[in-house]
Amino acid sequence: MEVLTTIDQVRARTGEARASGHVVGLVPTMGALHDGHVSLIEAAIADGCDTLVTVFVNPLQFAEGEDLDAYPRPIEADLAAAGAAGAAWVFVPGDGEMYPDSPLTTVSVAALGDRLEGASRPTHFSGVATVVTKLFAIAGRCRAYFGEKDFQQLAVVTRLVADLSLPVEVLGCPIVREPDGLARSSRNVYLTSEQRAAAPVLHRALLEAADVVHAGERRADVVRALIENRIRSEPLAAFDYADVVDPATMRPIETIAVPVRLLAAAQFGIPRLLDNVAALPPHDLGDHT
Ligand code: PAF
């Protein structure tokens, strides 16, 4: 595995790979790689890609007062994990390589990014969309792998690729969970042992709500309230949001007649944790399970 630090190096390696008839797989990350990231690298490799992992803690997606400086940066462990998973290259640019000047150009996918995470973190998705567009421009034609844990991010990226006709195929990969259901996240390291024990309430609340949808509940407000009440029943969870959305538009649903996504977020001490599950009305179960 080769460690690349400049945009020119990435362009040269990915260009050569494509010229030899290979498909480039791109796994954008902010490092602190865990099993969720490893599953993305493995998915790219299983698809036969020459795989580029990017490790860049993107300042544009952190607001003032968020955890940019404290964000974990275990670069040696990240290189080892990416190498063990079979990545061909890891791109580890400095801030000066990615943003030699403060960028004046930003990308925003407004209607997809203004609610949920976007409501709690108003500048977050334009920061994500801007860096991801830049990474796509650097990597060139590729298949790009994103985890479904950040479901709204996946919707934003899918839409920006379509809107801007970028030569990128975006693939969403299933959430990797701990045995007790907690979604793997780089921010889980901030949890105290008590918060860690409490955090799976997020997944349990969503699963219970999905069961209620499967059983025939069509009123989204009832499902939303169920998720919220379940999370609020955990004293260590500070409830942020729960919603029932159309998975493509991220808009809230009133009546559940088609497959929907249930999403929730809550703060457990320092970290805000997110989770989501698919929920299918009874007549759709046969087609999607
Ligand atoms: O999901 C992440 O880790 C980041 O938001 C991403 C996509 C790497 C952009 O910085």
Side-chain angles (χ1 to χ4, degrees), residues 2-102:
E2 196 181 359
V3 179
L4 312 175
T5 53
T6 69
I7 292 170
D8 286 347
Q9 287 171 330
V10 176
R11 291 214 164 108
R13 297 304 181 282
T14 55
E16 282 156 18
R18 279 187 295 271
S20 319
H22 295 206
V23 175
V24 171
L26 174 66
V27 180
T29 83
M30 297 204 301
L33 300 187
H34 52 66
D35 290 353
H37 298 113
V38 169
S39 76
L40 304 180
I41 303 169
E42 288 174 347
I45 288 171
D47 287 347
C49 298
D50 287 0
T51 301
L52 170 68
V53 177
T54 66
V55 175
F56 178 63
V57 183
N58 170 39
L60 298 186
Q61 68 192 75
F62 291 78
E64 200 69 34
E66 290 187 347
D67 58 346
L68 173 62
D69 292 336
Y71 200 84
R73 290 167 170 85
I75 189 62
E76 291 308 322
D78 286 347
L79 295 179
W89 316 283
V90 180
F91 178 42
V92 192
D95 284 359
E97 182 69 11
M98 286 296 274
Y99 303 125
D101 300 307
S102 290

Side-chain angles (χ1 to χ4, degrees), residues 148-149 151 175 177 206 261-263 274-278:
E148 288 184 341
K149 204 263 297 167
F151 196 81
I175 298 175
R177 299 183 179 281
L206 291 165
R261 205 82 187 180
L262 312 182
L263 301 102
L274 324 180
D275 206 343
N276 66 85
V277 300

Side-chain angles (χ1 to χ4, degrees), residues 182-205:
L182 178 65
R184 297 297 309 257
S185 162
S186 303
R187 291 190 164 96
N188 290 353
V189 295
Y190 298 138
L191 295 166
T192 65
S193 56
E194 291 77 14
Q195 290 158 356
R196 171 65 190 79
V201 71
L202 216 50
H203 185 227
R204 279 200 301 274

Side-chain angles (χ1 to χ4, degrees), residues 120-144:
S120 300
R121 306 177 70 190
T123 55
H124 176 66
F125 282 120
S126 72
V128 170
T130 302
V131 79
V132 167
T133 304
K134 181 155 176 133
L135 291 170
F136 289 164
I138 294 168
R141 180 177 293 279
C142 64
R143 291 165 70 101

